[in-house]
Amino acid sequence: MWCSRAARIVLAAGLLAGAAAPVRAAGSLEIQGTRLHTPPDSHEPQRALIALRNTGPDPVTQVTILCTFTGAGGAVLDTQTVSVPEIAGHAAAQAEAIYYSWPRAGAATCRVAEPH
């Protein structure tokens, strides 16, 4: 009988913790566009400017975005990870990935990383 009661307590504690956990509804998050910003000074880093939109009613938290910078012929130059702490329901947000290396990138593509 004690084991059964202990199991119910642990189950109830897990349900309460689950209710307080942040929402990770990455399925409602859309990348609306990615624009590569290349400053005129070649010593300044390039930036992938990412427009995001949460299409769902619940906040999305702990979002990870992967941005791949490519060069001539589509060669992958670098992949950067960007973390977005929270996007409110039905809200738009912006993020930025920075490419510090050489050669200069010709394009950047970004996608939402799958939650682990």
Side-chain angles (χ1 to χ4, degrees):
M1 181 155 160
W2 183 83
C3 287
S4 164
R5 181 180 170 114
R8 282 193 303 246
I9 291 172
V10 170
L11 178 61
L15 289 174
L16 288 175
V23 176
R24 292 192 57 155
S28 64
L29 185 67
E30 293 179 354
I31 293 180
Q32 295 187 312
T34 302
R35 182 175 63 86
L36 181 64
H37 173 70
T38 302
D41 182 352
S42 64
H43 296 290
E44 291 183 45
Q46 290 179 286
R47 301 172 189 278
L49 307 173
I50 310 145
L52 304 162
R53 180 138 193 95
N54 180 357
T55 60
D58 297 320
V60 176
T61 62
Q62 303 169 357
V63 176
T64 301
I65 298 170
L66 299 175
C67 292
T68 302
F69 293 88
T70 55
V76 174
L77 301 173
D78 194 15
T79 299
Q80 292 290 324
T81 302
V82 178
S83 296
V84 180
E86 181 174 347
I87 301 173
H90 299 293
Q94 293 186 4
E96 181 178 275
I98 301 173
Y99 173 64
Y100 290 102
S101 227
W102 188 260
R104 300 293 262 181
T109 56
C110 300
R111 66 180 174 84
V112 176
E114 296 298 319
H116 297 290

